[in-house]
Amino acid sequence: MIAAGITAIAKKFKQPYPIALVVIGAIIGLVRIPGLEPLKDFITEAEIFNFVIITLFLPALLGEAAFKLPFSHLKENKKPILALAFGATLLSFLIVGFSSIWLLNLSIPTAFVFAALMSATDPVSVLSIFKSVGAPKKLATVIEGESLFNDGLAVVLFNISAFYLLTYLDLGIEGAGYGLWEFIKVISLGLIVGGALGYGFSKLTKYYDDYPLEIIFSIILFYGSFLLAETVGASGVIAVVVAALIFGNYGARIGMSPTTKLNINNFWEVVALLANSLVFLMVGLEITRINLADKWGLVFIAIFIVLIARSISVYASLAFVRNFPAAWKHTINWGGLKGSLSIALVLSLPRDFAGREDILILAFSVVLFSLVVQGLSVKPLLARLGVNKKEEGNREYEELIAQGHRLETAIKEIQHVQNNLLIHEAISKEITDRYKQELVELRQKTELLLKKYPDLKNKQQIILQKHSLYAQYEAVDNLLKEGIISNEVAQQEHDRITDEIVHLESPQEPV
């Protein structure tokens, strides 16, 4: 209830709700509230938090994001996504790791565990905030693709650093070979598990046209691929992302009706909103459990290291990608947020792991800085860089619409006053004729503008068509309520209308 309330208020004021949830969560964690204390203690237990974030919510959030990501968009932006997801992640991991040994005096395993936590952008944080600030579609696709794939890479690096690094170091060159093999094996197995299950469930949808059942298939697929991959020693994150991508693209094409796609999308959108709201509130609560006494110096150095490593890795990895706007590079750099996954991973460390408390304090501090300071400044940064400016011709079109609406309202008001006060038409005619002439000129300007910018015209037509289809859907409902048509005919018409709505929303996909 608290999470939903904060989310609703933040959305009403058009602010990124994840940040509001973290801040309010931290306040709730710091203030003693009668009746909430047992729940707070339960939620902030390391095992509970880790289970809820990684096992309960992460597959759903990753699955929802990957399911809705068109493969064509990934293909179009594969160079920047691969450069960031692999090149930037590995480079950041190395820079943070070696810098932490030198500047923070951490042991080698401790430094590289911290580096793994900080090397990837958290998909939960990034996707939520960038959706709320209105980033351009292509930029959002790059950021989404990076956060989905580098997240899996970071988990693999974390597990190797936390559980195998010392062994590999002891074995020297042979150990380095084992480490590389472990890295390749975990990622490859994740791809295989996710690919096989995604393909299998996609084929299964061909035999059913029943969206409640197909929603259940998607639940089983997302959680099943994650848990199966983890069981066989693969990356669960990579498995669920690959499975959801195949299911949302190949499966949707060969076995899902538009009605099914719309309903699955709606179902996972609700699940993702609920999961996101709870995740960020829990992050805020969990952050209050750390003790920063005498650690401020280390915290500031850690934040500095992470920011510098992110900058170097982003600009270096994108240097080889041609025609990639500089403003987008700046946005991706500053928008590389850390979040709930980093906290969940550090809490999963064994309690006897050397340096666990240091990593805990540093990771929590960087996450808090990332979500609050970077998260709040992403929107102003986009505006300053001109990244989220509206499409060409949009402002001019809005001005013409506003002027036209003013004039039409003025004419109606003059007619209303004339009728009520019995003013003769000869008195008002001169004013209304002038307004009408201005309206004619505005319409001519609007027609020229729409010819100049065809995309603007198409977008307006899509809006009109969608409103028309919603009205048709309601009209069929009214006929059903009045008993004029049967349930069967109403369902048939509803499906046709839904198919048209889906086609409008995703014209690149065949219906």
Side-chain angles (χ1 to χ4, degrees):
M1 183 183 69
I2 293 168
I6 297 164
T7 302
I9 293 167
K11 280 178 171 279
K12 184 69 177 173
F13 289 97
K14 296 181 179 176
Q15 296 302 316
Y17 70 89
I19 299 165
L21 286 159
V22 169
V23 172
I24 300 296
I27 293 169
I28 292 170
L30 293 168
V31 177
R32 185 170 181 80
I33 303 171
L36 275 185
E37 293 308 306
L39 181 60
K40 282 158 59 176
D41 292 339
F42 175 75
I43 286 171
T44 51
E45 283 179 26
E47 290 77 12
I48 299 296
F49 186 92
N50 186 54
F51 169 77
V52 169
I53 301 296
I54 291 185
T55 310
L56 201 58
F57 288 157
L58 190 61
L61 291 165
L62 291 171
E64 184 264 348
F67 177 81
K68 290 162 70 174
L69 188 60
F71 189 73
S72 58
H73 292 185
L74 278 178
K75 193 175 178 182
E76 286 167 17
N77 301 287
K78 63 183 176 184
K79 288 182 181 177
I81 288 172
L82 290 173
L84 289 165
F86 293 94
T89 303
L90 288 168
L91 190 55
S92 176
F93 172 71
L94 294 172
I95 294 170
V96 174
F98 286 112
S99 300
S100 299
I101 295 169
W102 178 44
L103 295 173
L104 299 175
N105 294 319
L106 298 179
S107 66
I108 292 175
T110 306
F112 282 99
V113 166
F114 176 64
L117 297 172
M118 298 296 110
S119 63
T121 54
D122 181 60
V124 179
S125 313
V126 173
L127 299 182
S128 305
I129 290 172
F130 271 84
K131 279 178 184 175
S132 67
V133 298
K137 198 169 189 69
K138 187 174 179 179
L139 175 60
T141 301
V142 172
I143 291 166
E144 192 171 354
E146 181 208 4
S147 65
L148 286 172
F149 288 107
N150 77 356
D151 183 54
L153 191 59
V155 174
V156 173
L157 293 171
F158 171 81
N159 287 328
I160 289 173
S161 301
F163 303 109
Y164 305 111
L165 189 59
L166 273 178
T167 306
Y168 297 149
L169 287 172
D170 291 340
L171 292 173
I173 298 296
E174 190 182 352
Y178 282 136
L180 183 61
W181 167 244
E182 182 70 20
F183 182 78
I184 294 169
K185 184 190 78 172
V186 169
I187 290 176
S188 302
L189 273 176
L191 291 170
I192 292 166
V193 170
L197 288 176
Y199 179 79
F201 274 80
S202 296
K203 287 291 186 183
L204 190 60
T205 59
K206 287 180 70 177
Y207 301 102
Y208 300 93
D209 186 16
D210 183 342
Y211 73 81
L213 183 61
E214 289 174 86
I215 288 172
I216 292 171
F217 288 163
S218 70
I219 296 170
I220 295 169
L221 175 63
F222 296 171
Y223 284 94
S225 56
F226 183 85
L227 296 170
L228 179 61
E230 291 291 319
T231 303
V232 300
S235 169
V237 172
I238 290 174
V240 72
V241 168
V242 171
L245 272 173
I246 293 171
F247 193 63
N249 288 273
Y250 177 66
R253 181 167 56 82
I254 67 164
M256 292 184 203
S257 67
T259 304
T260 297
K261 280 190 280 187
L262 186 67
N263 280 286
I264 290 182
N265 274 329
N266 290 342
F267 170 80
W268 284 108
E269 208 164 292
V270 173
V271 171
L273 179 62
L274 176 63
N276 272 327
S277 299
L278 289 169
V279 162
F280 286 106
L281 188 64
M282 287 173 67
V283 167
L285 286 169
E286 192 69 49
I287 281 171
T288 61
R289 297 303 186 207
I290 64 169
N291 181 10
L292 287 175
D294 303 322
K295 298 285 185 182
W296 289 104
L298 287 177
V299 165
F300 286 125
I301 294 171
I303 291 170
F304 176 75
I305 288 171
V306 171
L307 290 177
I308 293 298
R310 174 69 181 171
S311 297
I312 294 171
S313 61
V314 167
Y315 294 120
S317 61
L318 291 176
F320 303 101
V321 179
R322 300 165 86 185
N323 303 320
F324 200 82
W328 287 18
K329 293 178 185 178
H330 304 327
T331 305
I332 290 168
N333 173 33
W334 190 248
L337 309 179
K338 321 301 173 193
S340 54
L341 183 65
S342 298
I343 293 178
L345 287 173
V346 74
L347 288 171
S348 71
L349 284 170
R351 293 194 181 273
D352 59 352
F353 183 86
R356 184 180 188 271
E357 290 307 309
D358 287 337
I359 300 175
L360 200 65
I361 290 168
L362 297 177
F364 275 38
S365 303
V366 174
V367 167
L368 185 60
F369 173 86
S370 178
L371 288 175
V372 177
V373 177
Q374 290 178 261
L376 280 174
S377 54
V378 164
K379 194 171 185 176
L381 178 69
L382 290 174
R384 183 71 185 268
L385 295 172
V387 171
N388 61 345
K389 66 182 178 183
K390 292 185 178 177
E391 290 177 12
E392 217 175 353
N394 203 81
R395 182 179 175 83
E396 199 177 339
Y397 178 78
E398 287 179 2
E399 287 173 355
L400 291 172
I401 290 294
Q403 290 167 23
H405 186 65
R406 276 176 41 212
L407 292 169
E408 286 172 350
T409 305
I411 292 167
K412 285 178 185 175
E413 182 62 20
I414 288 170
Q415 290 171 345
H416 174 71
V417 172
Q418 178 187 312
N419 293 336
N420 283 354
L421 301 181
L422 302 175
I423 293 173
H424 198 276
E425 187 182 349
I427 297 171
S428 63
K429 188 174 186 302
E430 187 178 333
I431 300 173
T432 52
D433 283 352
R434 189 172 78 242
Y435 283 164
K436 284 176 181 176
Q437 180 57 38
E438 287 182 36
L439 267 176
V440 170
E441 290 171 9
L442 280 174
R443 284 171 186 145
Q444 288 171 348
K445 286 181 183 177
T446 305
E447 285 174 15
L448 288 172
L449 186 70
L450 293 174
K451 284 179 183 175
K452 187 178 178 182
Y453 302 112
D455 287 347
L456 193 61
K457 182 179 180 180
N458 292 339
K459 192 174 281 187
Q460 301 302 318
Q461 286 179 333
I462 287 170
I463 290 169
L464 278 175
Q465 284 177 276
K466 282 172 76 172
H467 279 279
S468 161
L469 289 165
Y470 294 145
Q472 291 175 45
Y473 196 101
E474 195 174 338
V476 173
D477 266 346
N478 290 335
L479 289 174
L480 179 63
K481 287 173 188 172
E482 296 293 330
I484 297 171
I485 61 174
S486 65
N487 277 319
E488 188 181 354
V489 170
Q491 185 61 50
Q492 178 184 305
E493 293 304 311
H494 279 159
D495 286 348
R496 284 179 182 169
I497 294 166
T498 304
D499 289 357
E500 288 187 52
I501 292 170
V502 174
H503 183 54
L504 281 175
E505 290 178 343
S506 53
Q508 77 281 359
E509 296 175 15
V511 176

